[in-house]
Amino acid sequence: MIAVKAGLLTAVFAVAGTVISLVTFLVGQAALPAGLGVSLGDPGVLRAVLGAAFYMVFIGMFGFALGALIRHTQGALSVLMAVVFVIMGILPSLVPQSLQDSVAAYSFTGVGRSLIVVKHVDGVTTPLTALILCLVYAAVVLVPAFILTNRRDP
């Protein structure tokens, strides 16, 4: 049952994320002065828009898995917000200065940034690495959620 819910939510998040990313891109482009915008056909732009949509799917699946593990809506939302905004935000400052940029690049925020950049910038991973990291991070909570749910709710 949880696999069906995860699949359905993934589809809903993918459609909603794609629409939101595309609308946001178009509104942003319309707000720019003439000559400063880019088009979806420019190198890397469509990938970045779809990367933003994928990041929304990732965060949604991470939250869904937390909900399946915790089985308490407010608790799951609290943990999700704590992980995304607090833990991943302060994690780079907890390591030695020489490692802070690397840790920041692999945090949720850094991974999200990597998915939406059009051209490579320092301090971000490649989009492919970010995609793989999202899948690994999601699996870290989804796999235990599947196992625990199957044991609790046979």
Side-chain angles (χ1 to χ4, degrees):
M1 186 61 157
I2 194 164
V4 172
K5 287 181 182 180
L8 181 60
L9 283 174
T10 298
V12 170
F13 291 150
V15 170
T18 302
V19 169
I20 291 167
S21 296
L22 188 57
V23 168
T24 302
F25 171 78
L26 295 173
V27 168
Q29 292 305 301
L32 290 173
L36 292 181
V38 296
S39 75
L40 284 173
D42 289 344
V45 174
L46 182 59
R47 186 209 37 82
V49 171
L50 295 176
F54 177 79
Y55 188 70
M56 288 183 230
V57 173
F58 159 65
I59 294 296
M61 281 295 93
F62 196 87
F64 168 72
L66 287 175
L69 285 170
I70 297 170
R71 294 181 70 162
H72 189 266
T73 304
Q74 292 87 350
L77 285 172
S78 296
V79 171
L80 177 65
M81 294 300 118
V83 167
V84 172
F85 295 113
V86 179
I87 294 171
M88 290 293 176
I90 64 169
L91 189 62
S93 65
L94 299 177
V95 297
Q97 179 102 21
S98 60
L99 298 175
Q100 287 181 0
D101 288 341
S102 296
V103 171
Y106 292 97
S107 70
F108 282 11
T109 306
V111 168
R113 189 176 311 121
S114 298
L115 289 170
I116 64 169
V117 295
V118 175
K119 296 181 181 177
H120 180 74
V121 292
D122 291 335
V124 299
T125 64
T126 66
L128 179 60
T129 301
L131 177 81
I132 292 168
L133 283 170
C134 284
L135 295 173
V136 169
Y137 291 155
V140 165
V141 290
L142 278 168
V143 170
F146 286 137
I147 293 169
L148 188 59
T149 302
N150 286 333
R151 287 187 182 163
R152 277 192 308 222
D153 307 324

